[in-house]
Amino acid sequence: MMHDFAISENHVIIPDQQVIFRLREMLSGGSPVVHNKHKVPRFGVLPRDDADEKRIIWVDVPDCFCFHLWNAWEEGDEVVVIASCMTPADSIFNQSPQALKSILSEIRLNKNSGTSKRRPLVSGMNLEAGQVNGKFLGRRSRYAYLAIADPWPKVSGIAKVDLLQQRQMNDDVNECSDGRTDVMTSEKNLVCKFMYPSNCYGGEPMFVPRSADPFSAEDDGYVLTFMHNEVTGKSELLILDASSPSLEVLARVKLPARVPYGFHGTFIHASELDTQKNGYYCSSPGR
């Protein structure tokens, strides 16, 4: 089963992992999605200009299952993949007594040696659905904005993560934009967290650039997310400052109806819609 893949400047990165389809299980009343513990997870590195799979390079990454890949780029002989590694591998498909963990990780695939390295970037929380700045898809990116999936499968906040600069935060206190303080202990790459108020949960954060300036800072933009209050039944669209040290709330838009948790979408500028109306397809990355 392959849910997602990544691209770098010259390659497509294809996960081939331990979660597989076995339809006969469904015929006997079970889930057709099965965890094959005997299979060794691997990633395929395929040249983007290939007409077939003959030049694909397979690199084993033991004990790794990634439902989503956030970005990838090339550094010399290595392809760097940023992804969330889940355990147990089939926990989102089948009941498990073991609590789910989704750890944001850096995976390095060496095309020459066929070996891999993996290390956690943020280990203290479940980080799942999210985005990087679309201008940096396939290129070295510094920031990712990810949903804090806790209590699983609900989303209780948003994390801004520095993928490149490791830092040690020992009981540093950041002020959240809802007025509460957030203590971050020993999370090297965590820039800040925005936590929803009590009884409120949200959806997938989406990064929207502030301008079309190609030289603007990577985090110069907004983070959009839906938030629902399970007590009042009210829903809002939140617009956060992506570059602020606390993901400051800039605007709250009241919604006439609830947007379901897990709803996927993308941001399209009005000019792109006009172009499509004229018979042309949008060529922006991520659309």
PDB file of all heavy atoms in Angstrom, residues 238-274:
ATOM      1  N   LEU A 238      -9.054  29.829  11.033  1.00  0.00           N
ATOM      2  CA  LEU A 238      -8.037  30.633  11.696  1.00  0.00           C
ATOM      3  C   LEU A 238      -6.940  30.979  10.702  1.00  0.00           C
ATOM      4  O   LEU A 238      -6.512  30.136   9.914  1.00  0.00           O
ATOM      5  CB  LEU A 238      -7.426  29.885  12.881  1.00  0.00           C
ATOM      6  CG  LEU A 238      -8.367  29.434  13.996  1.00  0.00           C
ATOM      7  CD1 LEU A 238      -7.560  28.795  15.123  1.00  0.00           C
ATOM      8  CD2 LEU A 238      -9.212  30.581  14.511  1.00  0.00           C
ATOM      9  N   ILE A 239      -6.487  32.225  10.743  1.00  0.00           N
ATOM     10  CA  ILE A 239      -5.364  32.678   9.920  1.00  0.00           C
ATOM     11  C   ILE A 239      -4.247  33.094  10.870  1.00  0.00           C
ATOM     12  O   ILE A 239      -4.385  34.046  11.635  1.00  0.00           O
ATOM     13  CB  ILE A 239      -5.773  33.842   9.004  1.00  0.00           C
ATOM     14  CG1 ILE A 239      -6.953  33.410   8.121  1.00  0.00           C
ATOM     15  CG2 ILE A 239      -4.588  34.283   8.147  1.00  0.00           C
ATOM     16  CD1 ILE A 239      -7.503  34.531   7.250  1.00  0.00           C
ATOM     17  N   LEU A 240      -3.152  32.354  10.840  1.00  0.00           N
ATOM     18  CA  LEU A 240      -2.038  32.556  11.756  1.00  0.00           C
ATOM     19  C   LEU A 240      -0.846  33.156  11.025  1.00  0.00           C
ATOM     20  O   LEU A 240      -0.661  32.938   9.821  1.00  0.00           O
ATOM     21  CB  LEU A 240      -1.622  31.224  12.385  1.00  0.00           C
ATOM     22  CG  LEU A 240      -2.733  30.323  12.924  1.00  0.00           C
ATOM     23  CD1 LEU A 240      -2.124  29.023  13.459  1.00  0.00           C
ATOM     24  CD2 LEU A 240      -3.536  31.018  13.997  1.00  0.00           C
ATOM     25  N   ASP A 241      -0.025  33.909  11.759  1.00  0.00           N
ATOM     26  CA  ASP A 241       1.205  34.482  11.207  1.00  0.00           C
ATOM     27  C   ASP A 241       2.287  33.408  11.239  1.00  0.00           C
ATOM     28  O   ASP A 241       2.782  33.035  12.306  1.00  0.00           O
ATOM     29  CB  ASP A 241       1.615  35.704  12.025  1.00  0.00           C
ATOM     30  CG  ASP A 241       2.829  36.418  11.442  1.00  0.00           C
ATOM     31  OD1 ASP A 241       3.488  35.853  10.536  1.00  0.00           O
ATOM     32  OD2 ASP A 241       3.133  37.536  11.883  1.00  0.00           O
ATOM     33  N   ALA A 242       2.662  32.896  10.068  1.00  0.00           N
ATOM     34  CA  ALA A 242       3.613  31.780  10.000  1.00  0.00           C
ATOM     35  C   ALA A 242       4.997  32.148  10.503  1.00  0.00           C
ATOM     36  O   ALA A 242       5.753  31.273  10.929  1.00  0.00           O
ATOM     37  CB  ALA A 242       3.709  31.277   8.563  1.00  0.00           C
ATOM     38  N   SER A 243       5.358  33.428  10.468  1.00  0.00           N
ATOM     39  CA  SER A 243       6.711  33.835  10.848  1.00  0.00           C
ATOM     40  C   SER A 243       6.809  34.290  12.295  1.00  0.00           C
ATOM     41  O   SER A 243       7.917  34.538  12.785  1.00  0.00           O
ATOM     42  CB  SER A 243       7.193  34.971   9.932  1.00  0.00           C
ATOM     43  OG  SER A 243       6.372  36.118  10.084  1.00  0.00           O
ATOM     44  N   SER A 244       5.686  34.425  12.995  1.00  0.00           N
ATOM     45  CA  SER A 244       5.732  34.920  14.369  1.00  0.00           C
ATOM     46  C   SER A 244       6.256  33.831  15.301  1.00  0.00           C
ATOM     47  O   SER A 244       6.120  32.635  15.020  1.00  0.00           O
ATOM     48  CB  SER A 244       4.337  35.371  14.818  1.00  0.00           C
ATOM     49  OG  SER A 244       3.529  34.251  15.140  1.00  0.00           O
ATOM     50  N   PRO A 245       6.842  34.210  16.439  1.00  0.00           N
ATOM     51  CA  PRO A 245       7.398  33.209  17.362  1.00  0.00           C
ATOM     52  C   PRO A 245       6.341  32.378  18.068  1.00  0.00           C
ATOM     53  O   PRO A 245       6.682  31.407  18.755  1.00  0.00           O
ATOM     54  CB  PRO A 245       8.196  34.057  18.359  1.00  0.00           C
ATOM     55  CG  PRO A 245       7.599  35.416  18.281  1.00  0.00           C
ATOM     56  CD  PRO A 245       7.133  35.594  16.875  1.00  0.00           C
ATOM     57  N   SER A 246       5.058  32.715  17.904  1.00  0.00           N
ATOM     58  CA  SER A 246       3.999  31.959  18.586  1.00  0.00           C
ATOM     59  C   SER A 246       2.861  31.597  17.653  1.00  0.00           C
ATOM     60  O   SER A 246       1.801  31.185  18.113  1.00  0.00           O
ATOM     61  CB  SER A 246       3.451  32.771  19.761  1.00  0.00           C
ATOM     62  OG  SER A 246       2.911  34.001  19.306  1.00  0.00           O
ATOM     63  N   LEU A 247       3.068  31.722  16.318  1.00  0.00           N
ATOM     64  CA  LEU A 247       1.982  31.502  15.354  1.00  0.00           C
ATOM     65  C   LEU A 247       0.761  32.342  15.746  1.00  0.00           C
ATOM     66  O   LEU A 247      -0.346  31.849  15.928  1.00  0.00           O
ATOM     67  CB  LEU A 247       1.615  30.024  15.253  1.00  0.00           C
ATOM     68  CG  LEU A 247       2.681  29.094  14.684  1.00  0.00           C
ATOM     69  CD1 LEU A 247       2.198  27.643  14.700  1.00  0.00           C
ATOM     70  CD2 LEU A 247       3.073  29.500  13.270  1.00  0.00           C
ATOM     71  N   GLU A 248       0.989  33.638  15.844  1.00  0.00           N
ATOM     72  CA  GLU A 248      -0.038  34.580  16.310  1.00  0.00           C
ATOM     73  C   GLU A 248      -1.282  34.546  15.424  1.00  0.00           C
ATOM     74  O   GLU A 248      -1.190  34.473  14.197  1.00  0.00           O
ATOM     75  CB  GLU A 248       0.540  36.001  16.308  1.00  0.00           C
ATOM     76  CG  GLU A 248      -0.450  37.076  16.697  1.00  0.00           C
ATOM     77  CD  GLU A 248       0.115  38.462  16.503  1.00  0.00           C
ATOM     78  OE1 GLU A 248       1.291  38.575  16.093  1.00  0.00           O
ATOM     79  OE2 GLU A 248      -0.618  39.432  16.753  1.00  0.00           O
ATOM     80  N   VAL A 249      -2.451  34.593  16.056  1.00  0.00           N
ATOM     81  CA  VAL A 249      -3.710  34.640  15.315  1.00  0.00           C
ATOM     82  C   VAL A 249      -3.909  36.042  14.748  1.00  0.00           C
ATOM     83  O   VAL A 249      -3.959  37.024  15.492  1.00  0.00           O
ATOM     84  CB  VAL A 249      -4.903  34.267  16.218  1.00  0.00           C
ATOM     85  CG1 VAL A 249      -6.207  34.401  15.439  1.00  0.00           C
ATOM     86  CG2 VAL A 249      -4.762  32.845  16.737  1.00  0.00           C
ATOM     87  N   LEU A 250      -4.036  36.130  13.427  1.00  0.00           N
ATOM     88  CA  LEU A 250      -4.266  37.409  12.764  1.00  0.00           C
ATOM     89  C   LEU A 250      -5.736  37.649  12.478  1.00  0.00           C
ATOM     90  O   LEU A 250      -6.193  38.790  12.446  1.00  0.00           O
ATOM     91  CB  LEU A 250      -3.471  37.472  11.453  1.00  0.00           C
ATOM     92  CG  LEU A 250      -1.951  37.337  11.579  1.00  0.00           C
ATOM     93  CD1 LEU A 250      -1.318  37.343  10.192  1.00  0.00           C
ATOM     94  CD2 LEU A 250      -1.375  38.464  12.434  1.00  0.00           C
ATOM     95  N   ALA A 251      -6.480  36.566  12.251  1.00  0.00           N
ATOM     96  CA  ALA A 251      -7.909  36.709  11.938  1.00  0.00           C
ATOM     97  C   ALA A 251      -8.631  35.412  12.249  1.00  0.00           C
ATOM     98  O   ALA A 251      -8.041  34.324  12.207  1.00  0.00           O
ATOM     99  CB  ALA A 251      -8.108  37.083  10.473  1.00  0.00           C
ATOM    100  N   ARG A 252      -9.914  35.536  12.575  1.00  0.00           N
ATOM    101  CA  ARG A 252     -10.795  34.395  12.802  1.00  0.00           C
ATOM    102  C   ARG A 252     -12.043  34.620  11.967  1.00  0.00           C
ATOM    103  O   ARG A 252     -12.709  35.645  12.096  1.00  0.00           O
ATOM    104  CB  ARG A 252     -11.160  34.274  14.276  1.00  0.00           C
ATOM    105  CG  ARG A 252      -9.964  34.226  15.213  1.00  0.00           C
ATOM    106  CD  ARG A 252     -10.386  34.456  16.652  1.00  0.00           C
ATOM    107  NE  ARG A 252     -11.130  33.325  17.167  1.00  0.00           N
ATOM    108  CZ  ARG A 252     -10.733  32.600  18.214  1.00  0.00           C
ATOM    109  NH1 ARG A 252      -9.594  32.885  18.819  1.00  0.00           N
ATOM    110  NH2 ARG A 252     -11.459  31.593  18.637  1.00  0.00           N
ATOM    111  N   VAL A 253     -12.329  33.659  11.103  1.00  0.00           N
ATOM    112  CA  VAL A 253     -13.491  33.769  10.210  1.00  0.00           C
ATOM    113  C   VAL A 253     -14.552  32.767  10.662  1.00  0.00           C
ATOM    114  O   VAL A 253     -14.319  31.553  10.627  1.00  0.00           O
ATOM    115  CB  VAL A 253     -13.089  33.496   8.743  1.00  0.00           C
ATOM    116  CG1 VAL A 253     -14.301  33.654   7.828  1.00  0.00           C
ATOM    117  CG2 VAL A 253     -11.956  34.418   8.317  1.00  0.00           C
ATOM    118  N   LYS A 254     -15.706  33.267  11.099  1.00  0.00           N
ATOM    119  CA  LYS A 254     -16.786  32.381  11.524  1.00  0.00           C
ATOM    120  C   LYS A 254     -17.378  31.673  10.312  1.00  0.00           C
ATOM    121  O   LYS A 254     -17.650  32.286   9.284  1.00  0.00           O
ATOM    122  CB  LYS A 254     -17.867  33.176  12.249  1.00  0.00           C
ATOM    123  CG  LYS A 254     -17.394  33.786  13.558  1.00  0.00           C
ATOM    124  CD  LYS A 254     -18.511  34.548  14.246  1.00  0.00           C
ATOM    125  CE  LYS A 254     -18.019  35.149  15.563  1.00  0.00           C
ATOM    126  NZ  LYS A 254     -19.105  35.906  16.242  1.00  0.00           N
ATOM    127  N   LEU A 255     -17.580  30.367  10.446  1.00  0.00           N
ATOM    128  CA  LEU A 255     -18.088  29.549   9.344  1.00  0.00           C
ATOM    129  C   LEU A 255     -19.554  29.194   9.578  1.00  0.00           C
ATOM    130  O   LEU A 255     -19.955  28.930  10.715  1.00  0.00           O
ATOM    131  CB  LEU A 255     -17.257  28.275   9.204  1.00  0.00           C
ATOM    132  CG  LEU A 255     -15.759  28.469   8.960  1.00  0.00           C
ATOM    133  CD1 LEU A 255     -15.058  27.127   8.905  1.00  0.00           C
ATOM    134  CD2 LEU A 255     -15.505  29.256   7.682  1.00  0.00           C
ATOM    135  N   PRO A 256     -20.343  29.168   8.517  1.00  0.00           N
ATOM    136  CA  PRO A 256     -21.766  28.839   8.673  1.00  0.00           C
ATOM    137  C   PRO A 256     -22.025  27.357   8.903  1.00  0.00           C
ATOM    138  O   PRO A 256     -23.126  26.963   9.290  1.00  0.00           O
ATOM    139  CB  PRO A 256     -22.372  29.299   7.347  1.00  0.00           C
ATOM    140  CG  PRO A 256     -21.245  29.187   6.367  1.00  0.00           C
ATOM    141  CD  PRO A 256     -20.002  29.546   7.132  1.00  0.00           C
ATOM    142  N   ALA A 257     -21.029  26.516   8.652  1.00  0.00           N
ATOM    143  CA  ALA A 257     -21.192  25.072   8.826  1.00  0.00           C
ATOM    144  C   ALA A 257     -19.857  24.481   9.249  1.00  0.00           C
ATOM    145  O   ALA A 257     -18.802  25.079   9.045  1.00  0.00           O
ATOM    146  CB  ALA A 257     -21.679  24.418   7.534  1.00  0.00           C
ATOM    147  N   ARG A 258     -19.910  23.299   9.819  1.00  0.00           N
ATOM    148  CA  ARG A 258     -18.693  22.630  10.265  1.00  0.00           C
ATOM    149  C   ARG A 258     -17.959  22.007   9.084  1.00  0.00           C
ATOM    150  O   ARG A 258     -18.582  21.417   8.197  1.00  0.00           O
ATOM    151  CB  ARG A 258     -19.040  21.541  11.282  1.00  0.00           C
ATOM    152  CG  ARG A 258     -17.814  20.784  11.760  1.00  0.00           C
ATOM    153  CD  ARG A 258     -18.187  19.579  12.589  1.00  0.00           C
ATOM    154  NE  ARG A 258     -16.996  18.779  12.889  1.00  0.00           N
ATOM    155  CZ  ARG A 258     -17.024  17.584  13.424  1.00  0.00           C
ATOM    156  NH1 ARG A 258     -18.185  17.009  13.726  1.00  0.00           N
ATOM    157  NH2 ARG A 258     -15.905  16.919  13.662  1.00  0.00           N
ATOM    158  N   VAL A 259     -16.644  22.127   9.085  1.00  0.00           N
ATOM    159  CA  VAL A 259     -15.798  21.415   8.132  1.00  0.00           C
ATOM    160  C   VAL A 259     -15.297  20.150   8.826  1.00  0.00           C
ATOM    161  O   VAL A 259     -14.698  20.223   9.898  1.00  0.00           O
ATOM    162  CB  VAL A 259     -14.609  22.282   7.682  1.00  0.00           C
ATOM    163  CG1 VAL A 259     -13.699  21.502   6.749  1.00  0.00           C
ATOM    164  CG2 VAL A 259     -15.101  23.560   7.015  1.00  0.00           C
ATOM    165  N   PRO A 260     -15.545  18.982   8.278  1.00  0.00           N
ATOM    166  CA  PRO A 260     -15.175  17.737   8.969  1.00  0.00           C
ATOM    167  C   PRO A 260     -13.680  17.658   9.255  1.00  0.00           C
ATOM    168  O   PRO A 260     -12.850  18.144   8.482  1.00  0.00           O
ATOM    169  CB  PRO A 260     -15.617  16.643   7.987  1.00  0.00           C
ATOM    170  CG  PRO A 260     -16.638  17.292   7.117  1.00  0.00           C
ATOM    171  CD  PRO A 260     -16.227  18.724   6.999  1.00  0.00           C
ATOM    172  N   TYR A 261     -13.336  17.034  10.374  1.00  0.00           N
ATOM    173  CA  TYR A 261     -11.927  16.770  10.675  1.00  0.00           C
ATOM    174  C   TYR A 261     -11.330  15.919   9.550  1.00  0.00           C
ATOM    175  O   TYR A 261     -11.964  15.007   9.030  1.00  0.00           O
ATOM    176  CB  TYR A 261     -11.790  16.005  11.991  1.00  0.00           C
ATOM    177  CG  TYR A 261     -12.273  16.762  13.208  1.00  0.00           C
ATOM    178  CD1 TYR A 261     -12.921  16.100  14.237  1.00  0.00           C
ATOM    179  CD2 TYR A 261     -12.063  18.129  13.341  1.00  0.00           C
ATOM    180  CE1 TYR A 261     -13.358  16.780  15.375  1.00  0.00           C
ATOM    181  CE2 TYR A 261     -12.502  18.820  14.460  1.00  0.00           C
ATOM    182  CZ  TYR A 261     -13.144  18.141  15.474  1.00  0.00           C
ATOM    183  OH  TYR A 261     -13.576  18.815  16.603  1.00  0.00           O
ATOM    184  N   GLY A 262     -10.087  16.217   9.198  1.00  0.00           N
ATOM    185  CA  GLY A 262      -9.414  15.435   8.164  1.00  0.00           C
ATOM    186  C   GLY A 262      -9.673  15.912   6.754  1.00  0.00           C
ATOM    187  O   GLY A 262      -9.163  15.329   5.795  1.00  0.00           O
ATOM    188  N   PHE A 263     -10.449  17.002   6.611  1.00  0.00           N
ATOM    189  CA  PHE A 263     -10.739  17.508   5.266  1.00  0.00           C
ATOM    190  C   PHE A 263      -9.463  18.035   4.626  1.00  0.00           C
ATOM    191  O   PHE A 263      -8.715  18.796   5.235  1.00  0.00           O
ATOM    192  CB  PHE A 263     -11.785  18.617   5.354  1.00  0.00           C
ATOM    193  CG  PHE A 263     -12.216  19.174   4.031  1.00  0.00           C
ATOM    194  CD1 PHE A 263     -13.146  18.504   3.255  1.00  0.00           C
ATOM    195  CD2 PHE A 263     -11.707  20.374   3.558  1.00  0.00           C
ATOM    196  CE1 PHE A 263     -13.556  19.014   2.030  1.00  0.00           C
ATOM    197  CE2 PHE A 263     -12.102  20.885   2.342  1.00  0.00           C
ATOM    198  CZ  PHE A 263     -13.033  20.205   1.582  1.00  0.00           C
ATOM    199  N   HIS A 264      -9.207  17.616   3.375  1.00  0.00           N
ATOM    200  CA  HIS A 264      -8.015  18.063   2.656  1.00  0.00           C
ATOM    201  C   HIS A 264      -8.362  19.205   1.707  1.00  0.00           C
ATOM    202  O   HIS A 264      -9.476  19.287   1.201  1.00  0.00           O
ATOM    203  CB  HIS A 264      -7.425  16.920   1.828  1.00  0.00           C
ATOM    204  CG  HIS A 264      -6.675  15.918   2.637  1.00  0.00           C
ATOM    205  ND1 HIS A 264      -5.479  16.197   3.253  1.00  0.00           N
ATOM    206  CD2 HIS A 264      -6.943  14.626   2.939  1.00  0.00           C
ATOM    207  CE1 HIS A 264      -5.039  15.124   3.888  1.00  0.00           C
ATOM    208  NE2 HIS A 264      -5.916  14.161   3.719  1.00  0.00           N
ATOM    209  N   GLY A 265      -7.386  20.058   1.436  1.00  0.00           N
ATOM    210  CA  GLY A 265      -7.610  21.129   0.476  1.00  0.00           C
ATOM    211  C   GLY A 265      -6.304  21.780   0.075  1.00  0.00           C
ATOM    212  O   GLY A 265      -5.227  21.369   0.504  1.00  0.00           O
ATOM    213  N   THR A 266      -6.398  22.804  -0.741  1.00  0.00           N
ATOM    214  CA  THR A 266      -5.229  23.578  -1.134  1.00  0.00           C
ATOM    215  C   THR A 266      -5.655  25.017  -1.320  1.00  0.00           C
ATOM    216  O   THR A 266      -6.848  25.325  -1.364  1.00  0.00           O
ATOM    217  CB  THR A 266      -4.593  23.031  -2.431  1.00  0.00           C
ATOM    218  OG1 THR A 266      -3.338  23.678  -2.633  1.00  0.00           O
ATOM    219  CG2 THR A 266      -5.480  23.286  -3.638  1.00  0.00           C
ATOM    220  N   PHE A 267      -4.694  25.913  -1.388  1.00  0.00           N
ATOM    221  CA  PHE A 267      -4.979  27.331  -1.558  1.00  0.00           C
ATOM    222  C   PHE A 267      -4.696  27.727  -2.992  1.00  0.00           C
ATOM    223  O   PHE A 267      -3.605  27.491  -3.516  1.00  0.00           O
ATOM    224  CB  PHE A 267      -4.118  28.171  -0.611  1.00  0.00           C
ATOM    225  CG  PHE A 267      -4.345  29.651  -0.751  1.00  0.00           C
ATOM    226  CD1 PHE A 267      -5.397  30.271  -0.094  1.00  0.00           C
ATOM    227  CD2 PHE A 267      -3.516  30.431  -1.552  1.00  0.00           C
ATOM    228  CE1 PHE A 267      -5.614  31.635  -0.229  1.00  0.00           C
ATOM    229  CE2 PHE A 267      -3.730  31.799  -1.687  1.00  0.00           C
ATOM    230  CZ  PHE A 267      -4.778  32.394  -1.026  1.00  0.00           C
ATOM    231  N   ILE A 268      -5.680  28.316  -3.640  1.00  0.00           N
ATOM    232  CA  ILE A 268      -5.531  28.763  -5.023  1.00  0.00           C
ATOM    233  C   ILE A 268      -5.878  30.238  -5.091  1.00  0.00           C
ATOM    234  O   ILE A 268      -6.941  30.665  -4.631  1.00  0.00           O
ATOM    235  CB  ILE A 268      -6.445  27.961  -5.975  1.00  0.00           C
ATOM    236  CG1 ILE A 268      -6.078  26.477  -5.942  1.00  0.00           C
ATOM    237  CG2 ILE A 268      -6.332  28.473  -7.402  1.00  0.00           C
ATOM    238  CD1 ILE A 268      -6.951  25.601  -6.795  1.00  0.00           C
ATOM    239  N   HIS A 269      -4.984  31.031  -5.647  1.00  0.00           N
ATOM    240  CA  HIS A 269      -5.205  32.471  -5.771  1.00  0.00           C
ATOM    241  C   HIS A 269      -6.258  32.745  -6.840  1.00  0.00           C
ATOM    242  O   HIS A 269      -6.434  31.968  -7.791  1.00  0.00           O
ATOM    243  CB  HIS A 269      -3.885  33.164  -6.135  1.00  0.00           C
ATOM    244  CG  HIS A 269      -3.910  34.647  -5.931  1.00  0.00           C
ATOM    245  ND1 HIS A 269      -4.390  35.517  -6.868  1.00  0.00           N
ATOM    246  CD2 HIS A 269      -3.538  35.401  -4.863  1.00  0.00           C
ATOM    247  CE1 HIS A 269      -4.299  36.757  -6.403  1.00  0.00           C
ATOM    248  NE2 HIS A 269      -3.777  36.712  -5.186  1.00  0.00           N
ATOM    249  N   ALA A 270      -6.956  33.872  -6.685  1.00  0.00           N
ATOM    250  CA  ALA A 270      -8.014  34.228  -7.636  1.00  0.00           C
ATOM    251  C   ALA A 270      -7.487  34.323  -9.065  1.00  0.00           C
ATOM    252  O   ALA A 270      -8.182  33.961 -10.021  1.00  0.00           O
ATOM    253  CB  ALA A 270      -8.663  35.550  -7.227  1.00  0.00           C
ATOM    254  N   SER A 271      -6.240  34.790  -9.224  1.00  0.00           N
ATOM    255  CA  SER A 271      -5.670  34.899 -10.566  1.00  0.00           C
ATOM    256  C   SER A 271      -5.514  33.532 -11.221  1.00  0.00           C
ATOM    257  O   SER A 271      -5.660  33.389 -12.431  1.00  0.00           O
ATOM    258  CB  SER A 271      -4.321  35.617 -10.506  1.00  0.00           C
ATOM    259  OG  SER A 271      -3.396  34.888  -9.704  1.00  0.00           O
ATOM    260  N   GLU A 272      -5.221  32.493 -10.415  1.00  0.00           N
ATOM    261  CA  GLU A 272      -5.105  31.146 -10.959  1.00  0.00           C
ATOM    262  C   GLU A 272      -6.461  30.614 -11.403  1.00  0.00           C
ATOM    263  O   GLU A 272      -6.562  29.918 -12.413  1.00  0.00           O
ATOM    264  CB  GLU A 272      -4.483  30.227  -9.916  1.00  0.00           C
ATOM    265  CG  GLU A 272      -3.038  30.592  -9.589  1.00  0.00           C
ATOM    266  CD  GLU A 272      -2.465  29.726  -8.490  1.00  0.00           C
ATOM    267  OE1 GLU A 272      -3.083  29.634  -7.424  1.00  0.00           O
ATOM    268  OE2 GLU A 272      -1.395  29.140  -8.709  1.00  0.00           O
ATOM    269  N   LEU A 273      -7.503  30.936 -10.643  1.00  0.00           N
ATOM    270  CA  LEU A 273      -8.850  30.536 -11.051  1.00  0.00           C
ATOM    271  C   LEU A 273      -9.241  31.208 -12.365  1.00  0.00           C
ATOM    272  O   LEU A 273      -9.835  30.584 -13.244  1.00  0.00           O
ATOM    273  CB  LEU A 273      -9.861  30.889  -9.957  1.00  0.00           C
ATOM    274  CG  LEU A 273      -9.790  30.051  -8.682  1.00  0.00           C
ATOM    275  CD1 LEU A 273     -10.809  30.570  -7.674  1.00  0.00           C
ATOM    276  CD2 LEU A 273     -10.049  28.592  -8.967  1.00  0.00           C
ATOM    277  N   ASP A 274      -8.873  32.478 -12.492  1.00  0.00           N
ATOM    278  CA  ASP A 274      -9.173  33.186 -13.741  1.00  0.00           C
ATOM    279  C   ASP A 274      -8.453  32.546 -14.916  1.00  0.00           C
ATOM    280  O   ASP A 274      -9.002  32.426 -16.014  1.00  0.00           O
ATOM    281  CB  ASP A 274      -8.776  34.655 -13.621  1.00  0.00           C
ATOM    282  CG  ASP A 274      -9.666  35.425 -12.651  1.00  0.00           C
ATOM    283  OD1 ASP A 274     -10.804  34.958 -12.405  1.00  0.00           O
ATOM    284  OD2 ASP A 274      -9.230  36.458 -12.141  1.00  0.00           O
TER     285      ASP A 274
END
